[in-house]
C-alpha cells in the first residue's frame, strides 16, 4: 500500500501544473526607456528567455519594420515618430504568452521662440503687453518660459500644473509704462529639461525687442505774425512743450500746399522748429505745422493775411539844384499798394487824401545841402497801421566861400616845427584850393618845417564849376621863445597839429573826388555832349559821398 501511494505522488510530480511554465521565462525590450526627437526613428530589440518560443512580435500604431531576428529575439525599426506612444513586446512559450511595455516619449526642442510686444510705442502710464510663445515644443510639462527685461527676470512660467486640454506654450504679462522704461530691451528664454526622461537640457531664445515710451499731450503752437508782406521773407516757428522724447519730434511745416524746410531743436521736454516763409500771392492763406512723436501726430493751423505795401515813391525834380533855385518834391504811393495809402511829406503842412500824392515846393539854400527829404506812407491792414518811409538826400550846388573858422586870415607858425597852411573852403561841388606864395604855388599837401622865410602873405583861390573866390592869409613865424609863454606854445603846437591832421584828412578825401570827377566827365561827354552841368552834379555827388 505504501508503495502504491509513493508511485502516485511520483506520477503527480511529473505532471506539470497549470502556470508553472509562466515563471520559467521572461520577456524584455531594449532600450527600456525611449526618448525620440520629433520625426526621428527608433530601433528596438524584443527578446525572451524561453528556450523554444512560440509566436512573438510587437504591437504599436507606429510604422514598424522588422530588421532581423534570432531564436529568442527580434529587432524592429520604428519610423516617423511624431507623438508619444506605448509599445507592447510579446512572446509565447509552451502555449503561454507574456509581454512587456515600452513608453516612447517624443520631444521637440524650442527652436523657435517668438516675443510679441504690444504696442512697441506706449504712452506714459498706459499698459503694454509682453507675450512669448513657442509654436512647436514637447513635452510641454518639461518647458519653462522666462520673460526678461534687459537682464532682469520679469516673469517665469512652467507648465506642470496645466491640464492637457489647455496646454499652450505661451506666457503673457501686462506692464504699466513709465518714462524710465524707454528703450528697454525685452526678450524671452525657453528651457526644455528632459533629464527626468534620460535626456539633456535644451535652450531657445527670442529676438530682442525694444520698448519705446512717449508723451505728447499738448498741441503744437505756431508763432508767426498774422500779417505777412508779399515777397518778404518771414520766420515761422512751431513749438511743443511736454513732449517725450523731445529730440525725436519730427516737424513738417506748410504754407498752403508749399512744404517748407524747417530747422528743429530741443531742450528738456520742449521741441521747436523754424522755417523761412515767403508768400508770393496776396490774400488770406493758412500755415500748418505737423509734429509727430512715435505713432502720434498732432496738427496746428494758423491763418495769415498777405498784403502788398511797397515803399512810397519820392521824386525830386532836380536832385542837384543850385542855391536860390526852386525845388519841386512829389511823394506818391506805389502802384502795387492796395488799398491806397495816406502820405505825409516832410516839410509839407497837410496830409494828403488817401490815393492823392503829396507836394512840396521850396527855394534851395546853401544850408539845404545834405538835407534829407522823407516821404511817409501809412496803410491800415486788418486793423493794424503799417508805415513805410522813403528818403532822398538833397545836394545843393553853390559857389566856393571861405569861413574864418575854417580858413583864418591870420595864422602863427612856430619856427622849427612842421606846419601846414590851415584853409578849408566851402562849396558844392567841393572846390579846388590853390595858394600862391612868393609867386609860386605853395604845396598844401606836405607839412613844411617853419622858418622865418615862411612869414608873409599867401593868396588862396578856391574854384569849382560854379565860380571861384580868393582870400589872403597872413602867416607869422615866431621863434620858440619869442615872447611866447610855454602854455601858449603848447596851445599853438596842439592847434597846429590838429589843423594838419584835418587838412590831410580832407585832402585824402578830396583827391578821389578829383580823380572820379575826371573819369566821370569823360564818360559823360561820350554819352551826352555839352552836359557840363550834369558832370558837375555827378562830381558833387561823388565828393559828397566820400566826405559823408
Amino acid at each position: 500500500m505504501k508503495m502504491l501511494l509513493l508511485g502516485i505522488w511520483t506520477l503527480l510530480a511529473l505532471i506539470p501544473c497549470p502556470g508553472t511554465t509562466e515563471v520559467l521565462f521572461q520577456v524584455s525590450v531594449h532600450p527600456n526607456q525611449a526618448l525620440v526627437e520629433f520625426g526621428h526613428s527608433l530601433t528596438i530589440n524584443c527578446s525572451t528567455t524561453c528556450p523554444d518560443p512560440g509566436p512573438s512580435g510587437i504591437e504599436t500604431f507606429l510604422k514598424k519594420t522588422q530588421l532581423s531576428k534570432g531564436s529568442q529575439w527580434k529587432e524592429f525599426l520604428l519610423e516617423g515618430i511624431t507623438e508619444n506612444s506605448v509599445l507592447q513586446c510579446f512572446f509565447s512559450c509552451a502555449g503561454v504568452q507574456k509581454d512587456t511595455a515600452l513608453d516612447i516619449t517624443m520631444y521637440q526642442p524650442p527652436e523657435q521662440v517668438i516675443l510679441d510686444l504690444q504696442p512697441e510705442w506706449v504712452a506714459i502710464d498706459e499698459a503694454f503687453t509682453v507675450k512669448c510663445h513657442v509654436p512647436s515644443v514637447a513635452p510641454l510639462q518639461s518647458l519653462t518660459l522666462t520673460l526678461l527685461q534687459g537682464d532682469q527676470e520679469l516673469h517665469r512660467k512652467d507648465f506642470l500644473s496645466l491640464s492637457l486640454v489647455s496646454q499652450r506654450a505661451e506666457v503673457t504679462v501686462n506692464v504699466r509704462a513709465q518714462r524710465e522704461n524707454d528703450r528697454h530691451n525685452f526678450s524671452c528664454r525657453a528651457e526644455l529639461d528632459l533629464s527626468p526622461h534620460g535626456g539633456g537640457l535644451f535652450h531657445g531664445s527670442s529676438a530682442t525687442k525694444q520698448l519705446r515710451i512717449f508723451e505728447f499731450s499738448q498741441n503744437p503752437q505756431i508763432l508767426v505774425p498774422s500779417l505777412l508782406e508779399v515777397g518778404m521773407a518771414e520766420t515761422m516757428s512751431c513749438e511743443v512743450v511736454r513732449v517725450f522724447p523731445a529730440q525725436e519730434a519730427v516737424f513738417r511745416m506748410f504754407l498752403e500746399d508749399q512744404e517748407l524746410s524747417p530747422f528743429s531743436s530741443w531742450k528738456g521736454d520742449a521741441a521747436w522748429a523754424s522755417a523761412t516763409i515767403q508768400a508770393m500771392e496776396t490774400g488770406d492763406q493758412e500755415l500748418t505745422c505737423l509734429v509727430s512723436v512715435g505713432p502720434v501726430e498732432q496738427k496746428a493751423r494758423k491763418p495769415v493775411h498777405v498784403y502788398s505795401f511797397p515803399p512810397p515813391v519820392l521824386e525830386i525834380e532836380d536832385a542837384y539844384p543850385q542855391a536860390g533855385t526852386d525845388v519841386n518834391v512829389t511823394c506818391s504811393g506805389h502802384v502795387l499798394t492796395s488799398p491806397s495809402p495816406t502820405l505825409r511829406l516832410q516839410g509839407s503842412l497837410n496830409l494828403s487824401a488817401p490815393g492823392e500824392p503829396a507836394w512840396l515846393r521850396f527855394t534851395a539854400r546853401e544850408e539845404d545841402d545834405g538835407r534829407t527829404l522823407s516821404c511817409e506812407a501809412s496803410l491800415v491792414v486788418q486793423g493794424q497801421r503799417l508805415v513805410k518811409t522813403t528818403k532822398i538826400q538833397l545836394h545843393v550846388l553853390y559857389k566856393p566861400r571861405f569861413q574864418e573858422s575854417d580858413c583864418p586870415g591870420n595864422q602863427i607858425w612856430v619856427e622849427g616845427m612842421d606846419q601846414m597852411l590851415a584853409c578849408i573852403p566851402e562849396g558844392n561841388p567841393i572846390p579846388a584850393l590853390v595858394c600862391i606864395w612868393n609867386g609860386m604855388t605853395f604845396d598844401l599837401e606836405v607839412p613844411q618845417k617853419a622858418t622865418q622865410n615862411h612869414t608873409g602873405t599867401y593868396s588862396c583861390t578856391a574854384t569849382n564849376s560854379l565860380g571861384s573866390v580868393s582870400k589872403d592869409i597872413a602867416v607869422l613865424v615866431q621863434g620858440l621863445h619869442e615872447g611866447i609863454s610855454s602854455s601858449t606854445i603848447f596851445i599853438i603846437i596842439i592847434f597846429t597839429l590838429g589843423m594838419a591832421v584835418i587838412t590831410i584828412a580832407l585832402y585824402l578825401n578830396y583827391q578821389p573826388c578829383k580823380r572820379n570827377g575826371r573819369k566821370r566827365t569823360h564818360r559823360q561827354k561820350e554819352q551826352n555832349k555839352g552836359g557840363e552841368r550834369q558832370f558837375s552834379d555827378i562830381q558833387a555827388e561823388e565828393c559828397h559821398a566820400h566826405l559823408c
Side-chain angles (χ1 to χ4, degrees):
M1 187 64 176
K2 291 182 179 179
M3 291 299 294
L4 180 59
L5 292 173
L6 181 60
I8 293 172
W9 282 108
T10 302
L11 182 60
L12 292 174
L14 294 176
I15 299 173
C17 297
T20 302
T21 305
E22 185 177 352
V23 298
L24 297 180
F25 77 99
Q26 299 292 331
V27 175
S28 60
V29 63
H30 180 79
N32 58 4
Q33 191 174 33
L35 186 64
V36 184
E37 187 173 356
F38 177 85
H40 286 210
S41 301
L42 173 67
T43 300
I44 63 168
N45 187 291
C46 192
S47 62
T48 182
T49 58
C50 178
D52 185 19
S56 61
I58 60 173
E59 291 183 356
T60 179
F61 62 84
L62 301 173
K63 180 182 178 181
K64 60 183 179 179
T65 302
Q66 182 174 310
L67 299 179
S68 59
K69 65 177 181 177
S71 60
Q72 294 179 292
W73 59 272
K74 288 184 177 180
E75 188 175 60
F76 297 91
L77 176 66
L78 306 178
E79 299 180 78
I81 300 174
T82 57
E83 57 183 299
N84 296 339
S85 64
V86 178
L87 178 144
Q88 296 288 338
C89 174
F90 65 90
F91 274 91
S92 60
C93 187
V96 177
Q97 181 174 305
K98 192 173 184 181
D99 57 40
T100 185
L102 171 65
D103 290 330
I104 300 176
T105 302
M106 182 277 299
Y107 75 92
Q108 192 167 3
E111 295 178 349
Q112 187 180 16
V113 182
I114 300 174
L115 179 73
D116 191 16
L117 196 60
Q118 290 292 337
E120 294 187 6
W121 281 86
V122 188
I124 290 178
D125 292 330
E126 296 293 328
F128 64 96
T129 300
V130 185
K131 179 180 178 181
C132 175
H133 73 281
V134 183
S136 302
V137 63
L140 196 58
Q141 292 81 0
S142 302
L143 178 67
T144 301
L145 292 180
T146 304
L147 293 175
L148 300 173
Q149 181 175 339
D151 296 329
Q152 302 296 318
E153 185 176 304
L154 184 65
H155 186 71
R156 176 188 289 265
K157 178 181 180 181
D158 60 45
F159 299 86
L160 295 175
S161 60
L162 295 179
S163 66
L164 293 176
V165 176
S166 62
Q167 285 184 340
R168 295 185 62 185
E170 67 178 29
V171 58
T172 301
V173 63
N174 294 319
V175 185
R176 189 164 296 278
Q178 301 299 325
R179 180 173 290 198
E180 54 269 20
N181 297 138
D182 186 45
R183 295 187 180 275
H184 276 197
N185 292 324
F186 289 83
S187 61
C188 179
R189 184 176 63 222
E191 295 179 342
L192 187 66
D193 186 6
L194 299 179
S195 56
H197 303 282
L201 181 64
F202 294 89
H203 296 276
S205 295
S206 70
T208 299
K209 289 195 174 183
Q210 190 177 75
L211 178 70
R212 298 307 314 273
I213 306 297
F214 74 93
E215 180 178 9
F216 197 4
S217 56
Q218 297 190 12
N219 292 328
Q221 300 292 324
I222 296 177
L223 304 177
V224 70
S226 58
L227 293 180
L228 301 178
E229 186 172 357
V230 66
M232 300 297 292
E234 186 68 61
T235 299
M236 167 190 176
S237 297
C238 181
E239 64 179 27
V240 60
V241 296
R242 290 187 57 81
V243 59
F244 177 84
Q247 65 271 28
E248 295 186 30
V250 178
F251 289 82
R252 296 184 66 197
M253 302 165 74
F254 298 85
L255 172 60
E256 292 293 319
D257 297 330
Q258 175 192 356
E259 185 166 3
L260 309 175
S261 300
F263 176 79
S264 58
S265 304
W266 66 276
K267 183 177 181 181
D269 286 348
W272 61 91
S274 59
T276 300
I277 56 177
Q278 189 172 18
M280 303 309 295
E281 295 181 1
T282 58
D284 293 328
Q285 299 188 39
E286 186 176 71
L287 293 169
T288 305
C289 177
L290 301 175
V291 186
S292 60
V293 177
V296 178
E297 181 179 78
Q298 297 201 40
K299 179 186 297 185
R301 291 187 174 96
K302 183 172 181 178
V304 293
H305 181 77
V306 183
Y307 66 93
S308 177
F309 185 20
V313 179
L314 180 59
E315 298 174 306
I316 301 180
E317 187 177 35
D318 185 359
Y320 292 87
Q322 291 189 27
T325 61
D326 290 339
V327 178
N328 293 314
V329 184
T330 305
C331 173
S332 57
H334 198 282
V335 293
L336 296 179
T337 304
S338 179
S340 298
T342 301
L343 302 170
R344 179 189 294 273
L345 180 59
Q346 183 185 21
S348 180
L349 299 178
N350 299 315
L351 279 175
S352 67
E356 294 295 327
W359 304 86
L360 177 64
R361 181 185 178 92
F362 64 95
T363 301
R365 303 170 301 168
E366 294 180 7
E367 294 80 5
D368 291 327
D369 184 36
R371 172 183 173 183
T372 299
L373 300 173
S374 66
C375 172
E376 179 185 278
S378 62
L379 184 69
V380 177
V381 180
Q382 300 284 308
Q384 295 188 37
R385 183 175 178 270
L386 307 176
V387 176
K388 289 287 185 74
T389 302
T390 300
K391 296 182 179 180
I392 291 181
Q393 191 174 48
L394 184 66
H395 302 279
V396 179
L397 305 179
Y398 58 94
K399 296 179 181 181
R401 67 184 180 185
F402 290 107
Q403 295 284 359
E404 183 65 20
S405 58
D406 297 326
C407 186
N410 297 287
Q411 301 184 23
I412 299 176
W413 289 6
V414 179
E415 186 177 11
M417 299 190 66
D418 289 340
Q419 303 286 309
M420 294 184 70
L421 196 63
C423 186
I424 304 173
E426 294 183 0
N428 190 17
I430 295 176
L433 180 64
V434 177
C435 293
I436 304 299
W437 174 61
N438 290 336
M440 299 175 58
T441 301
F442 185 76
D443 193 347
L444 298 172
E445 302 175 3
V446 180
Q448 306 287 325
K449 188 172 292 294
T451 66
Q452 289 297 327
N453 293 333
H454 288 98
T455 297
T457 300
Y458 295 74
S459 179
C460 296
T461 301
T463 304
N464 66 10
S465 59
L466 301 180
S468 63
V469 64
S470 298
K471 182 176 183 178
D472 291 338
I473 301 174
V475 175
L476 175 64
V477 179
Q478 295 183 343
L480 190 60
H481 304 289
E482 192 175 329
I484 304 176
S485 65
S486 59
S487 59
T488 303
I489 294 175
F490 178 76
I491 294 173
I492 293 174
I493 292 173
I494 295 300
F495 174 78
T496 304
L497 290 176
M499 293 301 295
V501 170
I502 293 172
T503 303
I504 292 173
L506 288 173
Y507 173 76
L508 293 177
N509 280 279
Y510 175 68
Q511 286 301 317
C513 292
K514 292 172 65 180
R515 289 194 296 271
N516 291 336
R518 287 194 294 269
K519 294 178 182 178
R520 295 293 293 270
T521 301
H522 177 72
R523 187 161 56 248
Q524 289 297 112
K525 286 183 178 179
E526 291 294 328
Q527 295 176 356
N528 186 5
K529 294 183 179 181
E532 293 180 358
R533 181 180 179 185
Q534 189 173 9
F535 155 69
S536 299
D537 294 346
I538 296 171
Q539 185 185 33
E541 182 179 4
E542 296 283 347
C543 294
H544 186 80
H546 280 284
L547 290 176
C548 293

